[in-house]
């Protein structure tokens, strides 16, 4: 059995290297599924560790397999690598200046996973089983997890993993605090896209046209009522219309109006109800006003559901590694979403949050993930790397 305190010491000894790697990644963020510079850096960091390394056929993924010295379970650890199309406004000395930003902390996730690979590779003779390190592109809306699964991630070690884990830093959570829960951890993410078609005309004579603007507005308001009146308060839905477009001038009635909404839900049942119901709301209002409507519900990421027993295991392992005060059960799921849900649909495991708010900021007021002002503290890098490593060895020993 591996001594967890020794794992933590090993990870902390890597801290200067981890900070350097994270800041280099932060300076050069890349988007989507094609991350050539990030992939190159990951491959460079893995070189010499004695891992079985493969890259994606059509995406910039990296998969590395560490073989233990004796048979045992296979554990899959995921770290995402992509950034966001956000102009950074942090003022950091290593801030990106290319119109992109690691505003969700994926540079930390990649670095922590690299740290875990180094820690575990140096102790392969103590491992009973295999560890698969999945460096994933395209989490931010490109379904990189689904793409990696499609390219054979679950057979990378020769057998399907027995468990899978991922860490995600939170800019507005107390630094160093780990949290997770069994059951739904993150929401499903879906998109409702609506086009309302009427008949254009002069703004002074709406009776000669069929105005789609008020109809679209009625749909937006009706969808808000639908989302609050049709769902159990303990199984809620969030429906937010983020874009609405129509018309070119104040005295011109347009032919059509479009709007789009993000839709979040926390159960498969709620997702099915909101899918069918939101389309019926739009079609019913359109029929009442004599306009045409195209309403499309696009399923993006499913609910991120942590296995109950795996979540309990994670809580115990992290308390043992970092101390009782460093773990707090999550009281409720978050309405953000994650394509790690794809992996959890195939393999039991858990998504874990890690607070990375700098100590000079109030977590309640700190800019959230995805904000151009979001800042994540480098001090959590070694602790996150140790957590990844500890989950792998503890799961193999359980």
């Amino acid at each position: 059995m591996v001594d967890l305190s020794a794992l933590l010491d090993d990870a902390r000894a890597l801290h200067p290297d981890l900070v350097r790697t994270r800041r280099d990644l932060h300076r050069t963020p890349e988007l989507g599924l094609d991350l050539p510079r990030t992939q190159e850096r990951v491959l460079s960091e893995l070189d010499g560790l004695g891992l079985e390394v493969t890259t994606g056929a059509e995406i910039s993924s990296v998969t590395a397999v560490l073989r233990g010295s004796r048979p045992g379970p296979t554990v899959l650890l995921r770290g995402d690598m992509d950034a966001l199309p956000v102009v950074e406004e942090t003022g950091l000395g290593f801030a990106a200046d290319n119109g992109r930003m690691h505003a969700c902390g994926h540079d930390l996730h990649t670095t922590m996973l690299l740290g875990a690979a180094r820690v575990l590779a140096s102790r392969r003779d103590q491992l009973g089983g295999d560890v698969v390190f999945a460096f994933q592109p395209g989490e931010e809306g490109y379904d990189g997890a689904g793409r990696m699964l499609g390219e054979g991630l679950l057979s990378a070690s020769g057998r399907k993993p027995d468990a899978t884990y991922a860490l995600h830093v939170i800019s507005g959570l107390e630094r160093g605090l780990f949290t997770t829960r069994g059951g739904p951890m993150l929401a499903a993410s879906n998109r409702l896209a609506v086009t309302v078609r009427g008949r254009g005309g002069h703004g002074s004579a709406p009776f000669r046209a069929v105005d789609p603007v008020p109809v679209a507005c009625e749909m937006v308001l009706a969808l808000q009522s639908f989302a609050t009146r049709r769902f159990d308060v303990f199984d809620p839905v969030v429906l937010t219309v983020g874009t609405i477009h129509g018309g070119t001038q104040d005295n011109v009635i347009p032919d059509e109006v479009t709007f789009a909404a993000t839709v979040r839900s926390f159960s498969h049942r709620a997702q099915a109800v909101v899918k069918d119901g939101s389309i019926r709301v739009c079609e019913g209002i359109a029929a009442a006003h004599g306009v045409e409507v195209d309403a499309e519900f696009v399923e993006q990421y499913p609910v991120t559901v942590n296995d109950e027993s795996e979540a309990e295991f994670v809580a115990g392992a992290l308390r043992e590694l970092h101390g009782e005060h460093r773990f707090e059960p999550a009281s409720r799921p978050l309405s953000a979403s994650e394509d790690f849900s794809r992996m959890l649909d195939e393999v039991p495991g858990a998504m874990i949050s890690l607070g990375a708010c700098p100590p000079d900021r109030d977590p309640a007021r700190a800019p959230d993930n995805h904000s151009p002002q979001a800042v994540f503290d480098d001090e959590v890098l070694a602790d996150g790397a140790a957590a990844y490593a500890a989950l792998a060895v503890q799961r193999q020993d359980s």
Side-chain angles (χ1 to χ4, degrees):
M1 180 176 291
V2 178
D3 180 0
L4 294 191
S5 64
L7 281 183
L8 186 55
D9 289 342
D10 289 353
R12 288 176 175 170
L14 296 175
H15 181 70
D17 289 345
L18 298 179
V19 171
R20 183 163 45 252
T21 298
R22 183 260 163 155
R23 294 187 178 188
D24 288 348
L25 292 172
H26 192 89
R27 289 187 185 97
T28 57
E30 297 175 297
L31 305 179
L33 298 166
D34 186 24
L35 317 177
R37 295 183 65 178
T38 305
Q39 184 187 55
E40 181 182 8
R41 181 59 180 266
V42 168
L43 291 171
S44 174
E45 294 289 332
L46 294 176
D47 189 40
L49 296 183
L51 309 182
E52 300 170 14
V53 179
T54 57
T55 57
E58 298 183 356
I59 60 176
S60 295
S61 61
V62 178
T63 304
V65 179
L66 172 61
R67 302 290 184 184
S69 61
R70 60 187 188 279
T74 296
V75 176
L76 170 65
L77 304 175
R78 197 281 318 244
D80 40 8
M81 303 188 293
D82 57 319
L84 287 157
V86 172
V87 178
E88 185 162 355
E89 298 175 5
T90 62
L92 295 171
F94 54 93
D97 60 3
N98 62 354
R100 305 165 181 176
M101 180 186 173
H102 273 294
C104 205
H106 295 187
D107 50 336
L108 283 84
H109 306 162
T110 301
T111 303
M112 291 176 197
L113 195 56
L114 287 169
R118 291 178 62 178
V119 168
L120 292 175
S122 69
R123 295 177 174 273
R124 73 176 69 240
D125 60 331
Q126 302 173 43
L127 298 180
D130 301 329
V131 183
V132 180
F133 303 93
F135 296 88
Q136 180 207 306
E139 189 280 325
E140 296 290 353
Y142 293 86
D143 197 12
R147 299 290 291 273
M148 288 192 75
L149 291 173
E151 291 194 354
L153 173 64
L154 297 187
S155 60
S157 72
R159 55 169 288 180
K160 187 175 181 178
D162 298 277
T164 184
Y165 309 105
L167 287 173
H168 204 301
V169 293
I170 305 293
S171 62
L173 184 64
E174 178 185 344
R175 185 183 71 180
L177 182 65
F178 291 86
T179 182
T180 194
R181 69 193 301 271
M185 180 66 180
L186 297 167
S189 175
N190 304 282
R191 183 175 188 267
L192 176 66
V194 180
T195 300
V196 184
R197 295 188 178 87
R199 187 175 69 250
H202 200 289
S204 66
F207 63 94
R208 294 181 178 275
V210 180
D211 192 346
V213 173
V215 181
C217 292
E218 186 174 332
M219 290 178 185
V220 170
L221 294 176
L223 286 168
Q224 303 309 304
S225 297
F226 165 72
T228 59
R229 313 318 293 176
R230 285 288 306 280
F231 296 91
D232 188 328
V233 67
F234 298 108
D235 189 14
V237 160
V238 177
L239 193 156
T240 298
V241 176
T243 68
I244 184 164
H245 300 282
T248 57
Q249 193 165 306
D250 63 304
N251 64 346
V252 177
I253 294 172
D255 285 325
E256 69 177 39
V257 173
T258 62
F259 66 88
T262 186
V263 186
R264 308 298 169 109
S265 54
F266 299 93
S267 72
H268 298 303
R269 176 194 170 280
Q271 183 176 16
V273 173
V274 74
K275 176 181 180 179
D276 294 340
S278 59
I279 292 174
R280 281 191 283 104
V281 165
C282 295
E283 290 177 343
I285 292 172
H289 289 279
V291 302
E292 297 180 356
V293 65
D294 291 330
E296 181 183 16
F297 192 92
V298 181
E299 296 185 19
Q300 296 171 317
Y301 296 161
V303 183
T304 300
V305 181
N306 288 343
D307 180 85
E308 294 282 355
S309 61
E310 291 292 347
E312 185 177 348
F313 159 76
V314 166
L318 293 178
R319 286 182 171 121
E320 183 177 349
L321 176 70
H322 288 301
E324 190 75 26
H325 66 291
R326 292 281 301 278
F327 180 83
E328 183 175 296
S331 60
R332 55 182 174 81
L334 301 175
S335 55
S337 60
E338 247 284 354
D339 68 354
F340 185 60
S341 55
R342 303 272 191 217
M343 299 185 185
L344 289 174
D345 279 351
E346 300 292 332
V347 179
M351 165 65 74
I352 306 133
S353 296
L354 170 57
C357 183
D360 60 346
R361 296 192 177 200
D362 177 3
R365 298 177 179 272
D368 288 336
N369 290 34
H370 288 217
S371 165
Q373 295 93 31
V375 175
F376 304 91
D377 197 323
D378 286 333
E379 290 301 313
V380 303
L381 290 170
D383 287 353
Y388 269 128
L391 291 171
V393 299
Q394 287 285 83
R395 185 61 174 77
Q396 291 177 338
D397 289 336
S398 62

